[in-house]
Amino acid sequence: MTTPACFAPLLAKTGEAVQLAMQRLWLGGQVLPAGARITVEHVFRSAEARPLEVIYSFPLPRDAALRRFRITGEGFEAHSELRQTEAAVKAYEEGLAQGSLSTLARQYGDGLINLTVGNIRPGEDVTVHLELLAGVELRDDGFRFRFPFTLAPAYHPRARAAVVTPGEGEMELPGDEFGDVILPPFREDASALHQVGFELSVAGAPETDEVGSPSHAVRVKRESAGGSRVALAAEKDIPNRDLVLDVHYQQVAPKVLAGIGPDGKGHFAAIVPSTSFGGKTEAPRRLVILLDRSGSMQGAPITQAAKAIDACLAALAETDTFGLVAFADQAESCDTRLLPGTRENRQRAHGFLQAVKAYGGTELLLGFRKAVELLERGGGDVLILTDGQVAGTERILAEARAANTRLHCLGIGSASQDRFLALLARETGGVSRFVTPSERVDLPAVDLFASIGRPVASGLKAQGNIQPEPPVTVFSGTPVLLFGEEESAADSRIELSWDGGGALNLPLSFAGGDSGETVWLLQGARLITDWESRYPSVEALAPLEKRRQSRAGARLRDLSETYGLASREMSLVAVVKRAGDRTGDLPVTRVVPVGMPRDTRFDAYFHAPGKVTGAFAPCPPPLHSMASAPMAQSAPSAMPPSGRSLVSRLGAAIFRGNASSGHDEPALPSPSPTHDDELLALASAMDSDGGMPGKNPEARAAATVVVLFAFLAQGHTPSKGAFRSHVGRLLAFLQSLGGLPAPKQKLAEAALAAARKGKAPAGEWLALARTTGDHWSAIAQAMG
Amino acid sequence: MSEERTLAELADAAGIPARTIRFYISRGLLAGPAKAGRGAIYTAKHLERLEKIKALQAQGRLLSEIAPLLDGTESARPGYLSSAWWQHAIAEDVVVWTRADASPWRQKQIRDAVDELAARLRREE
């Protein structure tokens, strides 16, 4: 419900009323296990004396496409049309020139949307109800839905940014790559901006045992049909982070959503958990971990990521090899080649991580190239930990695809680059997870690490009309999502097969299913997203005649027309003719500001007054302004040797300077360690043979049993929990044990047998793991 | 071609979309039409100003920097307000000073340029 109070935000510091062109953004609709069909309500009000043209910019969620909008106001309601972008822009401009209320929803590169509403009359309220389809992040035991309530600034080497007024920054992207997209002003303090909120139905999941949000306080109400309604607990919120909704199932099992679509055919979406495919292979891992150390990762994200990398490396065997690369606008590697997973090499990696400071831009391609170089095209995986706040993602995706190296992504951030990182992983055959900074970063990293490197199935094939093609490789923890159609509505089967003779059949029934249209639209949104990612900006911005030669452009037009969804080739437009329209009145144009993502420091992107950030400033600084002058090179004799970049030498000095010029990372609070912290520390302490350290083989065996029981007691087994890789290695170590005195050997074997059942005997194992000394008596007591 | 143009004609002539031109007018970068209302017209001065804006953008200037530059209220030379500077001794007789608090992308541009200058000086030694 809206009240006059909702339309009168005040500046917290001064109490002055703020005039906002956009008052409210409200999210409604339905979230399904295969994606979401949502409507975003944008309420605009003009406080101008002249007609108003307002521009609101937002990023698309993952696998999303705009379907249509409805525009309403006093005495009118109109619906959008889907037209080729040139025609839509022309219709918008002609409508505007005639004084009519005109609305255009246009997509740009990176999945950015400009929603432009022109000729809102003074004092008038106009609401745009925008319908869109969006994907979800799938896990075997549930899914995560993200919706962007704000837009994060993103790094691009040619982007320009500055503080224009205190607490407000502006960013501009190069027109030759991004066209006429307009980015919003970014407010450090989002409290005086438009209000946001949501009420969503989580449908078709009677087995859902938990619905929650790590981003917002929510109210969850069970519905009789088996679904839930999830709403913002407070009356309203501010636009400084994404909405994140988590749904966890009680049981892991295949799910099929099916029904008859608008074309009369049977349409379905099938979610097949990785547990349906079999066990992991045991080939040695070849892995490069790529850590984003750009300025926007400052604080908890980089600290947690470094801890997680330590723990991940501890799960490696000596037969595994690894590389470690940190990148910002330069990329540094722990070594020039892959290293065996020995304790010494892990310590070396630890030392490397300790020296990493978050600073600079996000040249993801530099880091990626370095990782590929380390793998020497000999195959392997890259695990990247990043906030993904980069622009020009199509270029990065093109190079990543060409490198033929699997990339797995752990995204970190409260404003989503979820779309890009999901694409980056999927397009290279990897998997992705996205966490908010209010959650732990380290455990999802360890969990993702446990999933990758050793697939549960390869060479996956699906029979029938399945689009897009299923992933070739399946990793534990991540299900396979299939969209397909059947000519008839008769009962049928989905048939899957994979290397090694694996096969799976799922029954398919369209009778009584009501999801046909929705899964068909979700399939369209997914296909459009895939093709958008293959559409280089230089082609997308070319004149229509040239674009006709573009395969991606032609495919996008075809998909847009087939599914009735917008893309970069097709936009949504509506023109409402009203009594009293005045031809030729020039509206005043306002751009809706957004809040900085709450975990991203304003000064990580916006520095100094605008007048000092020109692109070319050849004059040296006057000497009197040099309050500090740290030397990058102390003497001419320290000239960079040939073959090594001066920049790489300057990098270290600039790190030091960063600390001295007031950009230190904020001190982290140091709360008491949780059980997960303790498990992480134990995981990091493991030796490369899978056992715990100790003064002799007997002490090592006892410590390993205690730590194994500590993991099991906290719910981590060889197949379940973030530390499943570590548990598997602890078990393998105990299994390989021999030569202990007979009573202890017998105890170790009994402990191994108990652990294989996935449960620890009663005992304070975590507390015991903290202590040193002879643990054999505690083990003997527990084993009876 | 007449020097008087509609907004659509001005957009075509300048190669800048009409929406962007309206945005510039609202920001005070460009004057409104010479004649408002029905049959609003834009003159050669509008086109000239748009060309200047494009040129300054091509140099990497932000819109917030361009308005005062065009109005002559601020020098084209940027101010230097930073309190911290880096000193890069790239040759025996050359030291380059750069701001320590520039934006990440600006830092990268600067360091690339310093690197290039150092390489060029080495080549010419």
Side-chain angles (χ1 to χ4, degrees), chain A residues 1 52 54 145 206 232 295 315 545 551 591 664 784:
Chain A
M1 179 182 166
L52 169 70
V54 58
F145 168 68
L232 181 68
E545 287 311 309
R551 185 165 161 255
V591 184
D664 307 59

Side-chain angles (χ1 to χ4, degrees), chain A residues 53 114 330 359 589 615 657, chain B residues 19 26 59 86 106-107 111:
Chain A
E53 180 182 46
N114 271 185
Q330 299 168 64
Y359 184 75
T589 303
Chain B
R19 187 184 73 154
S26 298
Q59 290 174 22
W86 290 105
R106 182 66 179 148
Q107 295 246 9
R111 280 187 276 157

Side-chain angles (χ1 to χ4, degrees), chain A residues 398-419:
Chain A
E399 187 164 330
R401 264 184 226 109
N404 203 23
T405 299
R406 264 195 313 249
L407 255 170
H408 308 274
C409 302
L410 180 73
I412 304 160
S414 61
S416 182
Q417 266 292 8
D418 193 31
R419 178 182 183 272

Side-chain angles (χ1 to χ4, degrees), chain B:
Chain B
M1 177 84 191
S2 161
E3 288 205 341
E4 293 191 348
R5 295 177 171 89
T6 65
L7 179 61
E9 288 166 348
L10 179 68
D12 279 347
I16 296 174
R19 187 184 73 154
T20 308
I21 295 175
R22 287 193 295 274
F23 180 49
Y24 290 171
I25 293 171
S26 298
R27 289 190 64 137
L29 280 164
L30 187 70
K35 182 187 149 201
R38 185 183 291 270
I41 54 165
Y42 298 82
T43 65
K45 282 188 178 171
H46 287 95
L47 184 58
E48 190 185 324
R49 180 98 165 177
L50 286 173
E51 295 295 347
K52 281 184 186 167
I53 293 170
K54 273 171 75 175
L56 286 164
Q57 281 188 310
Q59 290 174 22
R61 295 286 185 178
L62 280 159
L63 293 179
S64 56
E65 297 172 282
I66 289 173
L69 285 172
L70 288 176
D71 295 341
T73 53
E74 187 175 314
S75 159
R77 181 182 151 182
Y80 292 98
L81 303 180
S82 178
S83 60
W85 295 86
W86 290 105
Q87 185 178 356
H88 311 294
I90 59 170
E92 282 188 27
D93 52 354
V94 180
V95 174
V96 178
W97 294 85
T98 64
R99 291 175 57 109
D101 61 349
S103 299
W105 38 84
R106 182 66 179 148
Q107 295 246 9
K108 183 175 186 303
Q109 281 182 325
I110 293 169
R111 280 187 276 157
D112 286 348
V114 171
D115 209 7
E116 200 176 305
L117 179 61
R120 183 173 162 190
L121 290 172
R122 276 202 307 278
R123 279 198 304 273
E124 291 173 2
E125 267 177 359

Side-chain angles (χ1 to χ4, degrees), chain A residues 95-111:
Chain A
L96 204 73
Q98 288 160 8
S100 303
L101 180 72
S102 303
T103 306
L104 175 70
R106 181 177 179 185
Q107 183 170 337
Y108 294 86
D110 295 339

